[in-house]
Amino acid sequence: MSSRPRDDALMGLHTWIPEATGKDERSVMADNMVDIIAVQGLGANPYFTWVRKIRMENNDVKEVMWLRDLLPTWIPNARIATFSYASEWFTYRRGIKTSLRELGEQLLNLLELDRKKWNALVLASNRPEFQNIKSFTAGIVFLGTPHGGTNLAGYASFIAKLKGNDVTLVQSLKSSDENLLALSHDFAFGYRHLSIMCFYETMQNRYLGGHTKFQVVEQHSAVRDGENMMYLNTDHSGLNKFSGNDDPNFQIVRSVIEKMVREVPQMNSVDKNTDKLHQNIDFAKLPTAKGASFDSHIEEHNSRCLGNTRVELQRQIKEWAKDRNGKPIFWLNGMAGTGKSTIARTIAHLFANEGQLGASFFFKKGEGDRGTASRFFTTIATDLMAHVPGLIPGITKAIDADPAISEKTLKDQFEKLILQPFLERKRAPPKELGLIIVIDALDECEREKDIQVILQLLAQTKSLGPVSLRVFVTSRPEFPIRLGFKKMRDGTYQDLILHEIPKETIEHDIALFLEHELRVISEERSLPPDWPSRDQIQALVHMAIPLFIFAATACRYIGDKRDNPKKRLEIFLQYRTANQMSQLDKTYLPILNQLFDEEDELDIERWTSEFQEIVGSIIVLESPLSITSLVHLLNIPKEDISCRLDLLHSVLNIPVDEDMPIRLLHLSFRDFLLDTKRRGKSPFWVNEKETQKKLARKCLQLLASPK
């Protein structure tokens, strides 16, 4: 058997080559037609994870590393590699302070670099830059993977803390961890087309000298809904260790892998030409809007609809998508704060999960390319290529014919990058019928004329022949958008107005949301089980209707760990009898008024001035800036800016990293502060024009100052 390499030599991507072959890595790569990548789990050793130790008759210990010693015999045309990282939470004192998603991205980057180096077939990713990997993935085998978490994580976290080790990854495997559940949920969106097998253990592991035993990963956690499953008669530690070719568990796992490998040549012959075309596209000539996709990192922690809420609305949208004779555009409109973006994210996830999502674009005012139409159609086209490989030849042709297509008119971009590639396809496979494009917050697109042009062009999706390309749009009912829809031909769109949904339905959904969020706060802060009271929840519900943004903002404010939740809830409820106040007043004044609590008149005047300068600049700036950048631009000490923003985490996304930009949590906060009706009546009113002038002067001063 081969000798064991050092652990540090195995970190990252490591190719295993049996010594008996006499080959090196380059010759193995020249012969292989498939890659098998084995990824270790948490708490695992880069080598012994895959090794069964067998005591021989002479008391020598034989190590069987099945990926190196057994599998190559059965699949000689494969390169077998492992991906390893410092995961031993019990022994690594400093641990690995990272996330599961970051580890996944490290693997994908290594595979992508490896693919360019060797032109090999590798595993997959949902990320657009890794689509060439995804298109050639044959299958995935899970060996006791805790998709739903494990109860062992709590115990492991406790032990790791006692040893002074980092517990970031251990805690991510708790059964109730939201990030793990979201990661598992997101996985389903891009991989339902794959052959997947989930193995689970039937025996318990023994701990503390055999006095304690339990199953590390329960069957319900190891097996994904709708996927194939098989059990191995072993405990968790034996799922990935085999004694030899006659080991029954190895024979089962080997047969599954062999079946997946047999599917690779067929997939390769079908997709080879498409993959070559994809590699030939110069994506520098097809720039996209960073963060515009529904599943981008920027959108990752934004909310989706809770279960049992928006039920009727989701039903209507699903029926529209399934109706082959339905209208090509669904316009969901509603006033600020009615939950349009939350619904759009939910719908995008829903269609992605069902394999129907073609593309998505979430506009956001002041977020660079996300706030304009300049990268709208190039982003949509890039997304569509990932889901409809048949478009790649047409898009490649358009880029070759006009390398500057991304700088041309919106009409040219739509026709050459989307319309023509669809029409030029020889045939539309049945699975591509019914593709959905999700567009959120169209009203946040900067130029009104661009909004109208986008709507006029999207209306042409009705004439795409065999493919039913539908467009789901959300926006406020602003005049440019109403005018754009008004100019469409009859039968082009159907609409639904959120704030006209029956009050009972809105009340039900907001009540569920508040109950869920306040229950989480109560559990996190160890509050009495009878907090909040039913009357308090009901009072918040009535204050919120019809604005979900009120409920979301109130919960962020109440749950802020810098103060007592009971006290903060009472502060919000003080505004329930203020009938003369608008909905946005009741949403934001409880948060803003606390800035002046217990301050004398001079301090209030100073705070007002600093609020106008700091917060006014944040909401008016075209692109968000970090605290560090604001310090240089406004010439205000960092401590002063941090202090003034400290009580505004309920309305602003203020990162711990002071070099990261500060963002509005919702555009309605900007609307509230800039509302000219508050001029002379509220210390929080921001004069947009004057603030812009001051910022212009600050910029000129900064440019003129010595470097």
Side-chain angles (χ1 to χ4, degrees):
M1 297 297 172
S2 301
S3 59
R4 176 200 171 190
R6 299 193 326 270
D7 284 355
D8 57 356
L10 298 179
M11 293 302 173
L13 201 61
H14 179 82
T15 299
W16 293 92
I17 305 172
E19 291 178 352
T21 65
K23 294 182 178 181
D24 58 16
E25 185 175 5
R26 181 174 293 276
S27 60
V28 168
M29 292 307 303
D31 296 339
N32 85 306
M33 56 178 294
V34 64
D35 281 350
I36 299 173
I37 312 297
V39 183
Q40 71 176 62
L42 182 59
N45 178 274
Y47 178 71
F48 287 110
T49 293
W50 316 104
V51 171
R52 170 75 73 190
K53 293 184 179 181
I54 305 171
R55 187 165 293 280
M56 311 297 288
E57 291 183 0
N58 61 1
N59 280 334
D60 287 345
V61 175
K62 173 185 174 182
E63 295 179 353
V64 179
M65 202 284 191
W66 68 280
L67 295 168
R68 175 194 64 196
D69 304 327
L70 305 180
L71 199 59
T73 304
W74 297 92
I75 313 176
N77 60 344
R79 180 192 56 158
I80 301 170
T82 51
F83 173 70
S84 303
Y85 54 96
S87 72
E88 295 184 81
W89 55 268
F90 188 77
T91 56
Y92 280 84
R93 173 157 294 278
R94 294 186 180 179
I96 34 168
K97 196 163 187 178
T98 186
S99 70
L100 295 174
R101 288 182 189 270
E102 288 170 337
L103 285 172
E105 186 164 330
Q106 289 173 23
L107 168 60
L108 290 164
N109 280 312
L110 286 170
L111 292 174
E112 176 66 6
L113 289 172
D114 203 59
R115 179 182 172 86
K116 290 175 181 176
K117 178 181 177 184
W118 302 111
N119 195 27
L121 305 179
V122 287
L123 292 181
S125 168
N126 274 325
R127 292 271 295 275
E129 58 266 42
F130 298 125
Q131 287 302 321
N132 55 340
I133 295 176
K134 178 179 177 179
S135 64
F136 277 103
T137 301
I140 298 177
V141 175
F142 289 112
L143 296 170
T145 303
H147 304 286
T150 170
N151 293 328
L152 179 65
Y155 168 78
S157 179
F158 175 73
I159 298 298
K161 283 181 179 178
L162 287 180
K163 292 176 66 66
N165 295 344
D166 187 85
V167 296
T168 304
L169 274 183
V170 180
Q171 289 180 330
S172 71
L173 292 185
K174 287 184 177 179
S175 298
S176 59
D177 186 78
E178 291 184 1
N179 289 328
L180 176 63
L181 296 177
L183 186 64
S184 181
H185 188 253
D186 290 347
F187 173 85
F189 297 157
Y191 297 92
R192 288 206 165 192
H193 66 289
L194 292 182
S195 174
I196 294 178
M197 177 62 74
C198 300
F199 286 99
Y200 62 94
E201 68 242 37
T202 58
M203 301 170 62
Q204 296 179 321
N205 282 72
R206 295 177 179 271
Y207 296 92
L208 301 177
H211 297 291
T212 301
K213 57 183 182 178
F214 54 83
Q215 200 159 331
V216 176
V217 180
E218 301 284 349
Q219 179 182 341
H220 66 81
S221 178
V223 177
R224 296 183 46 79
D225 290 342
E227 305 297 358
N228 298 317
M229 62 178 176
M230 297 182 74
Y231 70 85
L232 296 181
N233 193 24
T234 180
D235 62 18
H236 190 71
S237 63
L239 285 171
N240 41 280
K241 304 175 192 292
F242 309 114
S243 59
N245 286 313
D246 56 350
D247 185 325
N249 286 340
F250 172 68
Q251 292 174 356
I252 293 171
V253 173
R254 188 202 76 212
S255 66
V256 170
I257 296 174
E258 284 181 311
K259 181 177 182 296
M260 290 181 178
V261 169
R262 284 196 298 270
E263 295 172 356
V264 171
Q266 180 181 2
M267 181 180 63
N268 186 20
S269 64
V270 171
D271 290 338
K272 182 165 58 177
N273 291 335
T274 294
D275 185 67
K276 286 180 179 178
L277 284 167
H278 197 278
Q279 291 181 14
N280 289 333
I281 294 177
D282 186 352
F283 284 97
K285 296 174 183 175
L286 202 64
T288 59
K290 184 179 180 182
S293 175
F294 86 99
D295 57 354
S296 68
H297 176 62
I298 292 174
E299 291 285 321
E300 182 176 2
H301 302 296
N302 289 331
S303 61
R304 281 177 262 162
C305 298
L306 283 176
N308 205 29
T309 64
R310 304 293 199 183
V311 176
E312 175 59 21
L313 173 58
Q314 292 187 55
R315 185 194 65 77
Q316 290 184 46
I317 296 169
K318 288 179 192 176
E319 286 187 355
W320 160 76
K322 291 177 181 177
D323 185 0
R324 291 178 178 272
N325 299 315
K327 299 173 181 178
I329 299 178
F330 190 112
W331 178 30
L332 181 72
N333 73 83
M335 60 186 183
T338 48
K340 299 181 295 296
S341 292
T342 300
I343 295 167
R345 280 189 292 273
T346 303
I347 294 303
H349 277 274
L350 172 70
F351 287 133
N353 195 26
E354 295 181 354
Q356 280 188 273
L357 185 70
S360 62
F361 196 102
F362 280 56
F363 282 97
K364 195 166 183 67
K365 190 179 182 68
E367 290 285 333
D369 290 333
R370 291 181 65 190
T372 72
S374 60
R375 298 288 178 257
F376 175 72
F377 284 120
T378 55
T379 303
I380 296 295
T382 302
D383 273 2
L384 285 170
M385 275 194 295
H387 296 93
V388 190
L391 294 177
I392 294 174
I395 293 175
T396 304
K397 176 182 173 183
I399 295 173
D400 290 343
D402 186 356
I405 184 64
S406 64
E407 304 302 324
K408 296 301 172 64
T409 66
L410 294 177
K411 182 175 183 292
D412 282 347
Q413 290 183 42
F414 172 77
E415 290 179 350
K416 295 177 182 178
L417 295 175
I418 297 175
L419 188 62
Q420 287 302 320
F422 263 111
L423 295 175
E424 289 174 4
R425 291 192 314 159
K426 293 182 173 60
R427 185 170 60 89
K431 68 178 182 178
E432 292 181 9
L433 294 172
L435 288 172
I436 311 296
I437 296 175
V438 175
I439 303 167
D440 179 56
L442 182 58
D443 55 285
E444 295 192 34
C445 180
E446 186 178 282
R447 297 169 61 182
E448 294 182 357
K449 292 290 186 183
D450 284 348
I451 293 173
Q452 294 181 35
V453 170
I454 286 173
L455 290 173
Q456 290 168 12
L457 295 172
L458 291 177
Q460 297 181 39
T461 57
K462 192 174 184 179
S463 59
L464 287 179
V467 175
S468 172
L469 188 63
R470 305 294 182 83
V471 183
F472 177 81
V473 182
T474 74
S475 76
R476 298 185 191 184
E478 306 292 8
F479 178 73
I481 297 179
R482 297 201 314 274
L483 185 61
F485 278 107
K486 187 177 180 180
K487 290 181 178 179
M488 290 184 185
R489 297 192 307 270
D490 291 340
T492 303
Y493 76 96
Q494 75 177 73
D495 65 346
L496 189 148
I497 302 172
L498 269 180
H499 50 269
E500 292 184 1
I501 288 176
K503 181 181 177 182
E504 297 76 18
T505 302
I506 297 174
E507 182 175 355
H508 168 269
D509 291 350
I510 290 178
L512 283 181
F513 174 83
L514 286 168
E515 287 170 3
H516 174 269
E517 295 298 312
L518 293 173
R519 183 170 61 250
V520 170
I521 293 169
S522 177
E523 291 172 356
E524 288 180 347
R525 306 294 289 275
S526 301
L527 297 175
D530 60 348
W531 181 92
S533 70
R534 173 56 53 187
D535 289 344
Q536 288 176 316
I537 293 177
Q538 201 57 39
L540 281 177
V541 171
H542 286 301
M543 291 175 70
I545 297 172
L547 298 187
F548 272 82
I549 189 59
F550 174 95
T553 303
C555 290
R556 280 195 298 266
Y557 174 74
I558 294 166
D560 194 319
K561 291 180 171 57
R562 284 176 286 270
D563 205 352
N564 180 353
K566 291 183 176 181
K567 174 185 172 184
R568 291 200 161 200
L569 174 56
E570 290 297 337
I571 289 173
F572 246 91
L573 291 177
Q574 288 173 10
Y575 291 79
R576 63 183 141 180
T577 57
N579 295 325
Q580 73 280 8
M581 284 188 178
S582 70
Q583 293 274 172
L584 289 184
D585 283 340
K586 293 178 182 179
T587 302
Y588 294 119
L589 284 180
I591 298 164
L592 296 177
N593 282 338
Q594 67 177 329
L595 301 177
F596 297 155
D597 283 352
E598 301 177 7
E599 300 290 344
D600 58 33
E601 193 171 331
L602 287 176
D603 282 336
I604 288 176
E605 187 176 336
R606 177 171 58 86
W607 273 65
T608 300
S609 175
E610 292 178 353
F611 178 90
Q612 299 284 338
E613 186 165 16
I614 298 170
V615 180
S617 298
I618 290 170
I619 67 166
V620 166
L621 282 166
E622 186 67 26
S623 296
L625 295 180
S626 64
I627 288 180
T628 302
S629 298
L630 287 171
V631 167
H632 293 295
L633 177 62
L634 303 179
N635 195 26
I636 297 176
K638 181 176 68 176
E639 294 76 13
D640 287 356
I641 293 178
S642 297
C643 182
R644 296 299 171 258
L645 297 178
D646 200 38
L647 294 175
L648 296 175
H649 285 256
S650 306
V651 292
L652 296 174
N653 181 1
I654 306 169
V656 175
D657 186 346
E658 293 177 345
D659 292 324
M660 296 293 289
I662 300 167
R663 291 182 163 89
L664 295 173
L665 286 171
H666 197 269
L667 194 62
S668 61
F669 183 55
R670 182 180 190 275
D671 297 340
F672 172 80
L673 295 179
L674 297 180
D675 188 353
T676 54
K677 294 177 183 177
R678 304 180 194 282
R679 183 172 189 169
K681 300 177 183 178
S682 169
F684 306 113
W685 178 68
V686 174
N687 187 324
E688 184 174 11
K689 289 185 178 179
E690 285 301 316
T691 304
Q692 288 173 339
K693 288 179 183 178
K694 289 179 182 178
L695 286 171
R697 287 197 296 269
K698 294 281 187 182
C699 288
L700 291 173
Q701 291 170 5
L702 196 61
L703 290 171
S705 62
K707 300 292 183 185

